[in-house]
DNA sequence: ACAAAAGTGTTCGGCGTACACCCATGG
DNA sequence: CCATGGGTGTACGCCGAACACTTTTGT
């Protein structure tokens, strides 16, 4: 370690990582929360996360703490923002590096762990009071999601492997909290060459069955690189 | 402080803030760097920044350290990303929260201070080896700048109060490292209603003098809120 | 048959694209 | 009078906007 002591005063902080995990189900956006099992905020709902170890990379810590609190593994986590108000933690100076991700709800079975009493998907539109400044973090993440879905093919991670155009439209509508015009949405999304027609149909629905699609992995990578511009004015019909 | 000791191990880290300050001059993008005056990396060029105090907010710390290393005050700093590899600092675990900003070079006169031997604008295209992982941080900031200029009226902060359309075009060309077609650039930028025609002309240039413009503060705020989409294909003529 | 979504055709206007040519000033 | 940028006019094509009507399934 360093030979000098004049920096010692600075080495008294801790940092944590917290993850905002978005999912999509039943036409609504969800967030994965844990119920804390230790002070402070014992028993409160909170974002999955914990302290970062001394020799641990931030990205790794995010993966590990997500696993240890919810059981989720191999989730692609992207750094969101760092929150560090002096008063945000009772035990001392703790700043948190927030991550976020989009996952298919069906792909994972969250389970509580030593660090959490409970894990559950919550409707984004009806969140309880969360521990620390986690409500603020969720707000920031939601803003970012709204913006990034306009420039990147985001639906990919939120929808099941096979989906209908209406599913995809509902996803956009849920994130943007708006209604889109069906015809124009379809024309736009199809013109991007991002979807592959599976040439199969929905089954067991009480109406004309919809065509099933999947994302074209190749094209998805391209568009993620270049970025695109997905904008549609609000529409009445759905 | 907290009554329990089992968290003590975590409270041994330090964190810093570092700022990437972009400027624009002579048709080229610049970055403000300081020369360090203490170990580690004594005498190396580095981003302006320093340790965050125990009871200090991150945003405040960014402002303060920027002032104390370069003399710049009242700069609008936006959080960029946090860098925290375990090995990035010799003295122990130090993570840094990076900020970035765009400023008019003429508005400030950087001066070295106790924490810096020297302060200077460097051409982004010819940076030296910087201290720590600061080259990586600059790279991340540059990527972000390229992307955000496509969705927000960014030139505002980089250009002098009065400028010509060609100045503005050169700015976009410098950031994107491309050439744009003059006619189309002008039509697009004028159609946004973002510029105010000052009805005055350049003076003392050895060619037809260009019309001077300024940004419309009002409209700038609007567009920053909504976001827009500025995209133009590469063009040959300038 | 009827409900409930799925799915399509078309017109209109705006805006990005790609050009070549004229204008004003200093030297 | 010429070099050096500044500053247009415009035809074309594509794509987003705004419509209403037909098709296919389960009940």
């Amino acid at each position: 370690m360093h030979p000098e002591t004049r920096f010692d005063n600075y080495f008294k902080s801790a940092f944590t990582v917290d993850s905002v995990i978005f999912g999509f189900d039943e036409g609504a956006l969800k967030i994965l929360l844990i119920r804390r099992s230790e002070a402070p905020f014992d028993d409160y709902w909170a974002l999955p996360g914990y302290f970062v170890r001394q020799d641990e990379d931030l990205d790794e810590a995010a993966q590990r703490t997500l696993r240890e609190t919810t059981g989720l593994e191999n989730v692609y986590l992207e750094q969101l923002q760092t929150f560090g108000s002096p008063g945000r933690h009772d035990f001392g100076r703790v700043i948190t590096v927030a991550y976020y991700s989009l996952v298919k709800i069906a792909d994972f079975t969250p389970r509580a762990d030593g660090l959490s009493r409970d894990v559950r998907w919550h409707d984004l539109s009806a969140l309880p009071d969360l521990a620390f400044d986690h409500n603020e973090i969720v707000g920031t993440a939601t803003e970012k999601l709204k913006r990034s879905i306009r420039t990147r093919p985001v639906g990919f991670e939120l929808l099941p492997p096979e989906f209908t155009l209406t599913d995809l439209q509902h996803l956009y509508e849920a994130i943007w909290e708006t209604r889109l015009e069906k015809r124009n949405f379809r024309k736009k999304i199809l013109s991007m060459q991002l979807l592959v027609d599976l040439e199969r149909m929905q089954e067991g629905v009480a109406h004309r069955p919809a065509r099933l699609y999947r994302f074209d992995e190749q094209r998805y990578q391209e568009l993620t690189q270049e970025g695109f511009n997905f904008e549609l004015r609000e529409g009445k019909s759905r």
Side-chain angles (χ1 to χ4, degrees), chain A:
Chain A
M1 207 60 59
H2 60 102
E4 319 186 40
T5 58
R6 67 177 156 135
F7 296 108
D8 284 356
N9 255 332
Y10 292 117
F11 286 84
K12 289 178 177 170
S13 308
F15 42 99
T16 58
V17 286
D18 288 301
S19 300
V20 182
I21 309 294
F22 286 103
F24 180 71
D25 200 17
E26 299 163 13
L29 269 180
K30 312 265 186 179
I31 284 185
L32 190 63
L33 297 177
I34 64 165
R35 217 153 58 140
R36 288 177 58 85
S37 59
E38 69 178 29
F41 290 102
D42 191 9
D43 235 30
Y44 272 68
W45 288 101
L47 294 172
Y50 204 66
F51 286 99
V52 178
R53 294 177 184 154
Q54 276 299 308
D55 57 351
E56 188 179 35
D57 192 66
L58 294 176
D59 293 1
E60 279 170 27
Q63 293 287 346
R64 175 181 62 81
T65 58
L66 180 62
R67 174 162 38 80
E68 290 180 2
T69 50
T70 68
L72 265 64
E73 284 187 273
N74 298 321
V75 172
Y76 174 71
L77 289 165
E78 196 170 323
Q79 198 180 303
L80 170 68
Q81 198 180 306
T82 296
F83 297 79
S85 308
R88 62 179 296 282
H89 200 299
D90 285 345
F91 287 1
R93 188 70 195 273
V94 180
I95 71 173
T96 190
V97 181
Y99 283 76
Y100 88 124
S101 187
L102 315 174
V103 305
K104 300 187 226 307
I105 287 185
D107 282 2
F108 301 96
T109 329
R111 50 166 180 68
D113 204 304
L115 295 175
S116 54
R117 294 186 203 284
D118 196 2
V119 189
R120 197 165 300 175
W121 289 102
H122 286 246
D123 251 73
L124 180 58
S125 54
L127 289 186
D129 275 346
L130 304 181
F132 307 107
D133 49 3
H134 288 189
N135 283 297
E136 182 191 350
I137 298 179
V138 170
T140 303
T142 308
E143 286 306 309
K144 177 150 182 158
L145 175 58
K146 277 188 198 177
R147 268 180 281 116
S148 71
I149 199 180
R150 217 162 61 181
T151 34
R152 300 157 112 228
V154 156
F156 190 82
E157 297 93 345
L158 285 167
L159 288 177
E162 303 184 353
F163 53 89
T164 69
L165 290 181
T166 304
D167 290 339
L168 186 55
Q169 180 175 343
H170 287 347
L171 171 62
Y172 274 85
E173 290 176 341
I175 293 178
W176 281 336
E177 299 174 280
T178 183
R179 290 293 144 80
L180 300 171
E181 208 279 324
K182 184 171 55 167
R183 186 74 188 96
N184 296 333
F185 178 84
R186 284 160 183 249
K187 257 197 304 192
K188 175 112 193 185
I189 203 82
L190 287 175
S191 75
M192 292 183 170
Q193 317 253 15
L194 177 63
L195 303 185
V196 179
D197 185 344
L198 289 171
E199 307 195 337
R200 283 187 294 107
M201 298 295 175
Q202 265 181 329
E203 281 172 25
V205 285
H207 55 76
R208 174 174 175 178
R211 201 169 275 272
L212 292 171
Y213 292 85
R214 64 171 174 85
F215 285 94
D216 182 331
E217 184 77 42
Q218 194 87 32
R219 181 78 178 134
Y220 169 76
Q221 296 297 344
E222 279 175 38
L223 286 178
T224 303
Q225 289 291 320
E226 303 167 21
F228 62 66
N229 181 249
F230 197 96
E231 259 180 293
L232 277 180
R233 194 159 298 178
E234 195 159 342
K236 31 191 172 190
S237 87
R238 49 188 305 185

